[in-house]
């Protein structure tokens, strides 16, 4: 944590003219990543840091749509502790070709399996049975959260093998301390923090899959709804272990599809009228929260916080390990996420700097995961982005650290 103190002396070494020109181009076409900016700064940005450039390269809306479609073709399977991976995949491939898969641990061993077609998911669901629990009763719910059991587990012990699981948690303080001490420059520290804390591909896919599973529950009441992630999960500044914020998007239901009609007739749905938009939000979230609590597989600790400034349903999704907050009519939050996504795409060094300042702020108790009188990560990120172009520093990014950087002055 002491080494991180050096990072506060850094700013993006980009002149105001260099930032404003691509910024105007980017904001003139919302969601577009400035490819020409990346070409201009290839020698000074990515080459300077020498790290893997995972800067977003697509429109925000394109990423959202691709991830949602990917999640709809994915099933989440709770597996035995040990399993033969090849036979497991061969069994699933009977229902269609598999595009990708990964294993992870969270209250047991889980597999997220993405098929190439949605029909494969339906085919797998059709041969899946509702478990028999003896004296207890099971609530039948046909979801994409499944449970795998071995028929003759005793005879298959020799065929079982250990599974390589993807990492879904941030590094320990001890490991981070060692990595920072081994860094040869402040620039290396910036990139180390980014590499160790940023969301992995598997963790991102798991977040969209969790939203898709919640969408299946909400679709029982609102068939054309969508549950969309926002905040740190999608704005490219999220770190491993962050909460999953999602909102129930009902706009598609209210859209009028223009069709040819004969005569002077217009058909409308009969609906329930309520005094205000807030009351409507509270009623919708109350029902969805009750449904998640009673019927949602893996949803535990459901709290309906309906009198808050922004009403929400808070719960833990046990299979993914995410703490989830579900809101509705919160489209401004998605626009804020898109804004940060665009800022992160302007320069490959933005994300590394923001991650480092956030790490420093958390280490000094300036931010907290507990609600209270702390500055939020969103506000802190906006401050970093706002002030960085203003302060041009001559501090060299390749300046070597002292032999024992942990004894430096804070």
């Amino acid at each position: 944590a002491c080494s991180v103190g050096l990072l506060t002396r850094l700013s993006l070494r980009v002149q105001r003219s260099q930032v404003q020109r691509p910024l105007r181009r980017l904001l003139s076409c919302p969601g577009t990543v400035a490819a020409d900016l990346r070409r201009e700064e290839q020698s000074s940005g990515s080459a300077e840091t020498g790290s893997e450039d995972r800067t977003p390269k697509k429109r925000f809306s394109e990423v959202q749509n691709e991830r949602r479609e990917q999640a709809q073709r994915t099933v989440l399977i709770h597996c035995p502790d040990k399993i033969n991976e090849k036979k497991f995949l061969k069994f699933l491939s009977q229902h269609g070709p598999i595009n990708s898969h990964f294993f992870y641990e969270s209250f047991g061993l889980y597999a997220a399996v993405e098929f190439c077609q949605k029909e494969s998911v339906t085919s797998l669901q059709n041969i899946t049975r509702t478990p028999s629990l003896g004296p207890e009763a099971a609530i039948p719910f046909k979801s994409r959260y499944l449970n795998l059991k071995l028929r003759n587990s005793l005879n298959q012990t020799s065929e079982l093998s250990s599974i390589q699981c993807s990492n879904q948690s941030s590094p320990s303080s001890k490991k981070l301390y060692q990595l920072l001490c081994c860094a040869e420059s402040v620039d290396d520290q910036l990139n180390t923090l980014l590499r160790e804390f940023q969301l992995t591909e598997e963790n991102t896919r798991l977040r969209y899959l969790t939203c898709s599973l919640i969408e299946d529950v909400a679709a029982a009441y609102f068939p054309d709804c969508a549950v969309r992630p926002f905040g740190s999960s999608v704005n490219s500044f999220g770190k491993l272990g962050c909460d999953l914020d999602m909102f129930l998007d009902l706009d598609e239901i209210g859209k009028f599809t223009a069709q040819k009609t004969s005569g002077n007739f217009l058909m409308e749905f009969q609906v329930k009228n309520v005094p205000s938009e807030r009351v409507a939000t509270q009623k919708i979230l109350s029902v969805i929260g009750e449904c998640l609590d009673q019927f949602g597989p893996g949803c535990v600790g459901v709290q309906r916080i309906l009198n808050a400034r922004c009403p929400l349903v808070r719960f833990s999704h046990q299979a993914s390990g995410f703490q989830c907050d579900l809101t509705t009519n919160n489209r401004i939050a998605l626009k804020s996420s898109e804004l940060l996504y665009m800022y992160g795409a302007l320069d490959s060094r933005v994300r590394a700097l923001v991650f480092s300042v956030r790490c420093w702020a958390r280490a000094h108790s300036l931010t907290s995961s507990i609600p209270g009188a702390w500055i939020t990560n969103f506000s802190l990120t906006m401050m970093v982005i706002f002030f960085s172009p203003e302060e041009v520093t001559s501090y060299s990014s390749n300046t070597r650290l002292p032999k024992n950087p942990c004894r430096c002055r804070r």
Side-chain angles (χ1 to χ4, degrees):
C2 299
S3 301
V4 182
L6 289 174
L7 302 176
T8 59
R9 299 176 59 185
L10 288 181
S11 64
L12 297 179
R13 293 167 304 283
V14 181
Q15 298 289 347
R16 174 185 289 273
S17 59
Q18 292 178 319
V19 173
Q20 288 180 337
R21 186 173 62 256
L23 182 62
R24 285 196 293 268
R25 290 199 300 268
L26 190 68
L27 296 182
S28 64
C29 187
T32 303
V33 176
D36 53 342
L37 170 65
R38 186 169 291 102
R39 288 193 297 269
E40 293 173 9
E41 297 184 346
Q42 186 174 7
S43 58
S44 61
S46 301
E48 184 176 326
T49 59
S51 65
E52 180 185 1
D53 184 8
R54 295 186 59 183
T55 304
K57 297 176 176 63
K58 294 182 180 179
R59 291 175 180 265
F60 183 78
S61 58
E62 290 175 348
V63 174
Q64 289 274 302
N65 292 334
E66 289 178 7
R67 292 290 189 182
R68 286 194 70 243
E69 197 275 335
Q70 182 184 53
Q72 291 169 355
R73 292 183 279 107
T74 305
V75 294
L76 184 60
I77 304 176
H78 186 201
C79 303
D81 292 336
K82 289 189 176 181
I83 189 176
N84 188 302
E85 184 174 358
K86 290 184 178 180
K87 289 189 174 182
F88 170 68
L89 296 176
K90 183 178 180 181
F91 165 73
L92 293 177
S93 62
Q94 300 177 50
H95 303 279
I98 296 173
N99 190 45
S100 64
H101 76 285
F102 65 91
F103 293 88
Y104 69 95
E105 291 184 342
S106 174
F107 298 97
L109 180 66
Y110 289 85
V113 182
E114 178 198 348
F115 288 97
C116 294
Q117 295 96 21
K118 291 182 181 180
E119 293 76 14
S120 300
V121 175
T122 304
S123 176
L124 179 59
Q125 287 177 320
N126 289 338
I127 61 99
T128 303
R129 66 187 183 96
T130 300
S132 176
L133 303 178
E136 297 180 341
I139 299 175
F141 184 77
K142 196 173 183 179
S143 71
R144 286 177 289 131
Y145 176 21
L146 311 174
N147 188 36
L148 177 68
K149 290 188 176 181
L150 301 176
R151 290 183 176 180
N152 300 311
S153 57
L154 296 178
N155 298 333
Q156 299 183 26
T157 304
S158 60
E159 300 180 359
L160 302 181
S161 60
S162 298
I163 300 295
Q164 183 176 0
C165 296
S166 63
N167 182 32
Q168 302 296 324
S169 58
S170 56
S172 64
S173 299
K174 182 179 180 180
K175 179 183 177 181
L176 183 62
Y177 174 87
Q178 294 172 344
L179 290 172
L180 292 178
C181 287
C182 293
E184 295 184 354
S185 66
V186 175
D187 205 39
D188 288 340
Q189 288 186 326
L190 285 162
N191 294 320
T192 296
L193 284 170
L194 176 62
R195 183 177 61 252
E196 294 297 324
F197 278 112
Q198 69 182 350
L199 298 182
T200 62
E201 169 66 18
E202 292 80 9
N203 194 269
T204 300
R205 289 167 57 185
L206 189 59
R207 289 172 183 273
Y208 278 88
L209 175 57
T210 303
C211 289
S212 187
L213 294 175
I214 302 304
E215 182 179 307
D216 290 345
V217 177
Y221 293 94
F222 307 102
D224 294 323
C225 72
V227 174
R228 306 182 188 276
F230 68 90
S232 297
S233 297
V234 298
N235 63 19
S236 79
F237 292 95
K239 74 171 188 176
L240 289 170
C242 66
D243 293 348
L244 173 56
D245 298 314
M246 57 182 81
F247 83 97
L248 179 65
D249 187 359
L250 303 177
D251 282 3
E252 293 297 325
I253 300 177
K255 286 184 178 179
F256 174 72
T257 303
Q259 296 179 348
K260 293 183 179 180
T261 57
S262 58
N264 190 29
F265 296 101
L266 178 63
M267 195 72 71
E268 292 183 341
F269 288 107
Q270 283 283 353
V271 296
K272 186 88 171 182
N273 295 327
V274 292
S276 65
E277 192 74 27
R278 179 177 175 83
V279 173
T281 297
Q282 291 174 327
K283 287 183 175 293
I284 291 171
L285 289 178
S286 178
V287 172
I288 298 300
E290 182 68 18
C291 191
L292 290 174
D293 191 21
Q294 300 297 332
F295 309 128
C299 299
V300 298
V302 179
Q303 304 176 57
R304 287 169 286 180
I305 310 173
L306 305 179
N307 292 322
R309 182 181 61 84
C310 181
L312 60 92
V313 174
R314 178 168 294 165
F315 61 95
S316 296
H317 192 258
Q318 204 167 33
S320 63
F322 297 137
Q323 180 70 30
C324 305
D325 287 344
L326 174 66
T327 63
T328 188
N329 291 328
N330 195 17
R331 186 164 294 278
I332 186 63
L334 192 63
K335 290 299 181 182
S336 299
S337 302
E338 183 176 3
L339 179 64
L340 288 185
Y341 178 91
M342 292 159 60
Y343 283 144
L346 279 173
D347 191 303
S348 59
R349 296 165 292 179
V350 172
R351 296 172 63 244
L353 179 62
V354 169
F355 270 75
S356 301
V357 173
R358 280 188 178 184
C359 182
W360 168 83
R362 179 59 61 92
H364 290 78
S365 301
L366 299 179
T367 61
S368 175
S369 58
I370 303 173
W374 293 276
I375 187 173
T376 64
N377 278 328
F378 177 82
S379 301
L380 186 62
T381 301
M382 295 302 292
M383 289 175 63
V384 173
I385 293 173
F386 179 81
F387 286 108
S388 293
E390 297 285 338
E391 300 174 2
V392 180
T393 177
S394 59
Y395 192 89
S396 172
S397 64
N398 293 318
T399 300
R400 299 180 65 86
L401 295 176
K403 292 183 178 180
N404 189 355
C406 298
R407 292 182 181 177
C408 63
R409 293 181 61 188
R410 298 190 180 185

